Amino acid sequence: MSRARVARRIAAGAAYGGGSIGLIGVAAVGIVLAEAQLAKRTVGTGTAPLPPATDGLYGRAFGTEDPLRLALLGDSTAAGQGVRRAGQTPGALLASGLAAVAERPVALRNVALSGARSDDLERQVSLLLAQPLGPPDVCVIMIGANDVTHRMPATESVRLLSAAVRRLRTAGAEVVVGTCPDLGTIEPVYQPLRWLARRASRQLAAAQTIVVVEQGGRTVSLGDLLGPEFEANPREMFGVDLFHPSAEGYATAAMAVLPTLCASLGVWPEPDRLEPGRHEDMLPVAKAAAEAAKQAGTEVTGARAPWALLKHRRRRRLTEAAEAEAGTGAAQAPVASGETPEGRGEPLPQDSPRA
């Protein structure tokens, strides 16, 4: 069965309350469990630092009035576990990058929780919508890895994500989802678990894309962006626990998400029209989702149902984006670091402690 058909079946099962559609065959469970026990002995032998606090105001070179409001939701990847400095986290990188491109300050709120699965998104969304200032302008969600490793049924996983995106869109927020990363790139994981993890990750990523686009959000494929690069440079891309990304790994992911984040707010300098020379196309949603799961950093956004736009936006290093778009240089509009001299975004008075 093609990946597009599998993804559509998972999404349909989530929408109509279908049974548990597993990500791997029952016959493979015994092998997977044996391989997983071996992998656990290696993965996590190092201790990943707790995610640094990142809530605050970024891009103060553009003032402090009327900031764009950015929120991050999801698991340890969204929280930034594995690095020690706030400026190395995806939230700080995206907030400072958005500030440079939009030439406006950005207020960041991160409610992501290490170890979270999709069933925690309801709590995270409620935290954001309960803020006195109302919903954020744009939300970035990174979720799915823990759903795969804890064998959450794919239909349940995408149903929960769909509900979260629907609540945020109904409240007026733009939503960008970084789909499930490629777990087949984790260095200590060997065959056949590596193949099964990659297959499960891609199936879930494709199904996530379908339900997010149907709710009016956008997705960016992280799996095949990070896959080859992490596989080729695992010592650079993974942190000390060999599971969470390193600072360089997070920067790679943030470079992929930033163009779509900016485009969702209408501030990305490139046009939204399709460029066939870059293999961009308009495809049925399920087929676009399957293609995105295979292609590095691919964006999928809805068009007229049942069609979706498949785009490959140009990515630049965040420091280069800051200098090109802000025209002020990294010293005045830090984008790669996202830091004040104290090493983090300046706290906002209305921010409550992170979850």
Side-chain angles (χ1 to χ4, degrees):
M1 185 181 298
S2 70
R3 184 176 293 130
R5 291 184 63 188
V6 171
R8 173 54 72 186
R9 284 185 59 195
I10 294 171
Y16 298 106
S20 172
I21 300 177
L23 292 171
I24 56 178
V26 175
V29 171
I31 298 175
V32 171
L33 292 178
E35 290 287 345
Q37 291 304 314
L38 292 174
K40 286 179 181 179
R41 296 175 186 175
T42 306
V43 175
T45 54
T47 301
L50 293 176
T54 57
D55 287 4
L57 188 67
Y58 293 77
R60 297 185 74 250
F62 303 107
T64 59
E65 299 297 322
D66 191 27
L68 289 168
R69 299 178 62 225
L70 166 66
L72 256 72
L73 307 87
D75 55 23
S76 56
T77 303
Q81 186 165 356
V83 295
R84 299 183 183 278
R85 298 172 56 192
Q88 297 171 329
T89 63
L93 291 165
L94 290 173
S96 50
L98 176 59
V101 175
E103 298 186 349
R104 284 178 61 182
V106 174
L108 172 65
R109 177 74 192 277
N110 194 329
V111 296
L113 179 67
S114 295
R117 291 174 284 182
S118 293
D119 54 9
D120 193 56
L121 288 176
E122 181 179 3
R123 180 192 65 84
Q124 295 181 26
V125 171
S126 296
L127 281 175
L128 290 177
L129 298 186
Q131 293 183 106
L133 295 179
D137 295 303
V138 60
C139 298
V140 174
I141 303 175
M142 297 180 179
I143 199 77
N146 294 319
D147 294 6
V148 174
T149 59
H150 289 79
R151 293 190 291 168
M152 174 181 284
T155 50
E156 179 72 1
S157 177
V158 297
R159 182 185 66 80
L160 293 164
L161 176 61
S162 177
V165 174
R166 181 168 58 250
R167 288 181 66 192
L168 292 169
R169 293 289 295 137
T170 300
E174 298 293 336
V175 179
V176 176
V177 175
T179 56
C180 182
D182 186 352
L183 297 180
T185 61
I186 299 174
E187 190 182 28
V189 177
Y190 302 105
Q191 300 293 6
L193 182 58
R194 180 184 292 270
W195 179 85
L196 291 168
R198 174 161 291 154
R199 179 171 177 264
S201 302
R202 291 182 178 182
Q203 285 181 357
L204 181 57
Q208 287 176 322
T209 295
I210 292 174
V211 299
V212 170
V213 168
E214 288 177 345
Q215 296 300 330
R218 304 182 186 218
T219 64
V220 179
S221 169
L222 296 183
D224 281 289
L225 168 75
L226 302 181
E229 297 183 31
F230 275 46
E231 203 164 26
N233 302 290
R235 299 300 180 186
E236 295 179 8
M237 293 296 185
F238 284 113
V240 294
D241 63 352
L242 299 181
F243 185 83
H244 293 97
S246 64
E248 183 66 24
Y250 279 130
T252 301
M255 280 191 291
V257 174
L258 179 63
T260 301
L261 169 63
C262 295
S264 72
L265 295 172
V267 298
W268 190 244
E270 294 180 9
D272 274 344
R273 66 174 180 270
L274 295 175
E275 298 184 35
R278 300 178 63 192
H279 305 288
E280 297 182 345
D281 203 351
M282 182 178 291
L283 299 170
V285 174
K287 187 172 182 181
E291 290 297 317
K294 298 188 297 184
Q295 185 72 30
T298 304
E299 174 189 321
V300 180
T301 185
R304 183 185 303 176
W307 301 90
L309 301 178
L310 193 77
K311 291 190 63 64
H312 302 119
R313 296 186 185 274
R314 292 181 177 88
R315 303 193 303 273
R316 291 171 288 179
R317 291 198 64 83
L318 297 180
T319 49
E320 296 171 1
E323 293 168 0
E325 302 300 339
T328 58
Q332 294 180 347
V335 173
S337 69
E339 298 176 349
T340 64
E342 292 75 24
R344 56 168 294 174
E346 180 172 320
L348 297 174
Q350 70 270 22
D351 284 346
S352 58
R354 289 180 67 245

